Amino acid sequence: MKPLRIAIIGYGKIARDQHVPAIQANARFALAATVSSKPEPHPGIPSFGTHREMLAAMHDLDAVAICTPPSVRYDIGRDCLLAGKHVLLEKPPAATLGEVEELARVAAARDATLFTTWHAQHAAAVADAARLLAGQKIAAMKIAWREDVRKWHPGQQWIWEPGGFGVFDPGINALSIASHIVPGALFVRDAELLYPENRQTPIAARLNLASPIASGAIEVAFDWRHQAGEMWRIDIRTADGLELRLSEGGAKLTLDGDPVDASGSGEYQSIYNHFVDLIDERRSHVDIEPLRLAAEAFLLGRRTIVEPFVDRVQDV
Amino acid sequence: MKPLRIAIIGYGKIARDQHVPAIQANARFALAATVSSKPEPHPGIPSFGTHREMLAAMHDLDAVAICTPPSVRYDIGRDCLLAGKHVLLEKPPAATLGEVEELARVAAARDATLFTTWHAQHAAAVADAARLLAGQKIAAMKIAWREDVRKWHPGQQWIWEPGGFGVFDPGINALSIASHIVPGALFVRDAELLYPENRQTPIAARLNLASPIASGAIEVAFDWRHQAGEMWRIDIRTADGLELRLSEGGAKLTLDGDPVDASGSGEYQSIYNHFVDLIDERRSHVDIEPLRLAAEAFLLGRRTIVEPFVDRVQDV
């Protein structure tokens, strides 16, 4: 079978670290081009300065993976869908819910596949947790997502700009897992957002989520100020007394303290396998729930101002 | 035909000024009870301290109109739907998009009617504007919603608390008209939110909206700091050169400068007529678009701190 010719648009850290290896390891894809402001970012593959130049020059392209910052994904995704390309979107899929819904309409009208990936949903043990929780009610649930922003976002200024999500950039991964594994609706009840006084997005957040299938609040803590003690963990106790712990961002699972063998193949391998299935079946997979929860936190959140954040790379 | 017995839950300014007269003027309804923290707020009608007391005491109730602040509407609405009552929600229908979606699921499961009212959509000339714009493309559009917060929200502290919407409380009326009359998707491109330094919600906001059927930005200005020059106006120029002006919050319309006779019956009369139709046809009417646009503005908005707001009634 002829491989699907795919281009990567936005050739930054996530593209290099995750998308290129996953595409190269998948026999159904051939990496055909990149779009980047840097000249020839990937050796031996045609490179273009803009997605429009690429669409004009390459008529045999089947699909694109959009890995730019979220604010420009809608315009790029729309152009690519209108050109008949299948579109994979890094998370979060766009700047707003409305943009994602409009992309879904365009994809449907063009019979193209749109895939809003949430890579954390594809972590190795997440599907196992979802299976264990199916049909259960939740007695208690805590989400703790703590990391060092300087380590994971070195010099990335867009995360601090309006629409850059701040600590919700990693936190939305936790929300994407939660909305995937909790077998009922989730919504934000209240939130506190901690903004450094020199920044436009929060460096930490505490949320209380509610669900019709949870008897109490679901407590969420995102914090970007942890150089030691990084943690990406979800603890759940069901009404039947099962104790689940998803750790390492969904890669590991324990049930009542005992390790559960993870059935998944890992985030980006799973994402590209699913993209192939969607394209073969001419379907889209559009999930706006994590973005909805983030938007609700910003809509409802109490703003608290905390000490300025100084990025060692850019600001000193 | 036996009238529908309806209770008003949350007996504040909007209930007294709008809901009671509209219910009393509609032969299909009978005002059967109120829920309020005040004793006997409406003479001659049973009054209850909580909606649960009312549901327990009154088994012949058909419907409720929920006019509380938005933060408690979900819990009340859910209880009423689960008790089999038809539910009308003042705007905004709940605190979050997820709450509205969950209420819609409960209503569907109980075969009850849920009606998320946006009263400005029922202003006399809004349907006329929608008819004139059907199938049109938009060349330019400006929304200006300017009023004096002290006049319209005397002593209402909840509007300044997290989740209280601030200037989006009136502004969402404009968004509800815009999403109703623009014949295409709308979403927020960027926003600036002006927060008084002593408040948790914005006193003014500037938004740029985008739409696939608009060639340029749709400029939105909300401002609560206008004692003189109050204005609730939407100006639209179509690609075909039609000039529409909706003013007085949708009550008046001009086309190319000439007045158009408004076909509507006025906001709350129209709302209760539509509620009867929905109940008769066992349908729901759930519109989350205005709330989505507000949430997007909070998600994306640049925060600017402005001078403190001192409410004459409460703070001095």
Side-chain angles (χ1 to χ4, degrees), chain A residues 232-312:
Chain A
W232 302 271
R233 185 187 283 176
I234 300 179
D235 284 295
I236 301 171
R237 185 160 45 80
T238 70
D240 290 348
L242 297 180
E243 303 257 6
L244 279 77
R245 169 170 288 180
L246 265 174
S247 56
E248 299 183 23
K252 298 223 167 140
L253 175 65
T254 62
L255 176 61
D256 296 334
D258 299 322
V260 175
D261 280 344
S263 66
S265 55
E267 295 190 354
Y268 285 82
Q269 186 178 337
S270 169
I271 283 172
Y272 278 91
N273 284 340
H274 189 49
F275 194 31
V276 165
D277 290 344
L278 292 170
I279 292 170
D280 286 350
E281 297 165 16
R282 278 292 184 279
R283 288 192 297 127
S284 285
H285 179 133
V286 178
D287 178 4
I288 64 170
E289 296 297 281
L291 189 55
R292 173 180 65 74
L293 290 166
E296 291 180 358
F298 281 86
L299 177 66
L300 291 187
R302 178 176 296 276
R303 291 169 298 108
T304 299
I305 304 300
V306 298
E307 62 179 342
F309 174 78
V310 181
D311 190 323
R312 290 182 197 127

Side-chain angles (χ1 to χ4, degrees), chain A residues 217-239:
Chain A
I218 296 169
E219 296 171 37
V220 180
F222 300 151
D223 203 323
W224 246 350
R225 299 168 299 181
H226 284 264
Q227 290 175 267
E230 291 193 321
M231 178 188 289
W232 302 271
R233 185 187 283 176
I234 300 179
D235 284 295
I236 301 171
R237 185 160 45 80
T238 70

Side-chain angles (χ1 to χ4, degrees), chain A:
Chain A
M1 192 180 284
K2 193 162 158 266
L4 295 157
R5 291 171 55 78
I6 188 168
I8 296 177
I9 301 175
Y11 201 82
K13 180 170 167 53
I14 196 80
R16 285 193 308 275
D17 292 355
Q18 303 290 350
H19 290 263
V20 169
I23 290 168
Q24 290 180 329
N26 191 318
R28 289 292 307 280
F29 287 105
L31 184 59
T34 57
V35 173
S36 171
S37 51
K38 302 177 196 78
E40 202 187 7
H42 191 84
I45 303 279
S47 173
F48 298 88
T50 71
H51 70 283
R52 289 189 174 157
E53 288 167 28
M54 181 184 69
L55 291 173
M58 297 193 71
H59 295 283
D60 56 351
L61 205 61
D62 299 298
V64 300
I66 303 179
C67 307
T68 63
S71 62
V72 295
R73 285 183 191 153
Y74 168 75
D75 284 330
I76 295 171
R78 183 176 169 84
D79 287 342
C80 293
L81 289 167
L82 288 172
K85 311 307 174 194
H86 306 298
V87 170
L88 179 154
L89 295 166
E90 246 304 336
K91 67 91 196 175
T96 63
L97 301 164
E99 287 183 349
V100 183
E101 290 169 353
E102 178 61 13
L103 289 179
R105 281 187 286 266
V106 175
R110 293 286 162 149
D111 201 23
T113 289
L114 177 67
F115 182 17
T116 60
T117 66
W118 296 98
H119 61 77
Q121 291 179 346
H122 294 263
V126 169
D128 306 298
R131 268 191 295 274
L132 287 166
L133 289 172
Q136 300 285 321
K137 292 196 182 295
I138 289 172
M141 182 164 170
K142 279 196 183 190
I143 298 174
W145 229 248
R146 299 178 191 153
E147 62 180 50
D148 176 9
V149 60
R150 293 185 179 89
K151 175 173 160 189
W152 296 98
H153 292 277
Q156 289 182 10
Q157 291 305 300
W158 65 266
I159 58 173
W160 297 112
E161 290 300 309
F165 286 91
V167 76
F168 283 80
D169 181 78
I172 208 165
N173 297 335
L175 298 175
S176 76
I177 295 175
S179 65
H180 188 66
I181 66 175
V182 170
L186 273 185
F187 31 85
V188 178
R189 261 304 157 88
D190 53 69
E192 182 178 15
L193 309 179
L194 281 62
Y195 288 84
E197 68 174 37
N198 61 336
R199 302 291 177 170
Q200 283 284 339
T201 57
I203 196 165
R206 289 185 281 270
L207 282 61
N208 283 312
L209 306 183
S211 172
I213 61 122
S215 53
I218 296 169
E219 296 171 37
V220 180
F222 300 151
D223 203 323
W224 246 350
R225 299 168 299 181
H226 284 264
Q227 290 175 267
E230 291 193 321
M231 178 188 289
W232 302 271
R233 185 187 283 176
I234 300 179
D235 284 295
I236 301 171
R237 185 160 45 80
T238 70
D240 290 348
L242 297 180
E243 303 257 6
L244 279 77
R245 169 170 288 180
L246 265 174
S247 56
E248 299 183 23
K252 298 223 167 140
L253 175 65
T254 62
L255 176 61
D256 296 334
D258 299 322
V260 175
D261 280 344
S263 66
S265 55
E267 295 190 354
Y268 285 82
Q269 186 178 337
S270 169
I271 283 172
Y272 278 91
N273 284 340
H274 189 49
F275 194 31
V276 165
D277 290 344
L278 292 170
I279 292 170
D280 286 350
E281 297 165 16
R282 278 292 184 279
R283 288 192 297 127
S284 285
H285 179 133
V286 178
D287 178 4
I288 64 170
E289 296 297 281
L291 189 55
R292 173 180 65 74
L293 290 166
E296 291 180 358
F298 281 86
L299 177 66
L300 291 187
R302 178 176 296 276
R303 291 169 298 108
T304 299
I305 304 300
V306 298
E307 62 179 342
F309 174 78
V310 181
D311 190 323
R312 290 182 197 127
V313 178
Q314 293 291 315
D315 296 348
V316 176

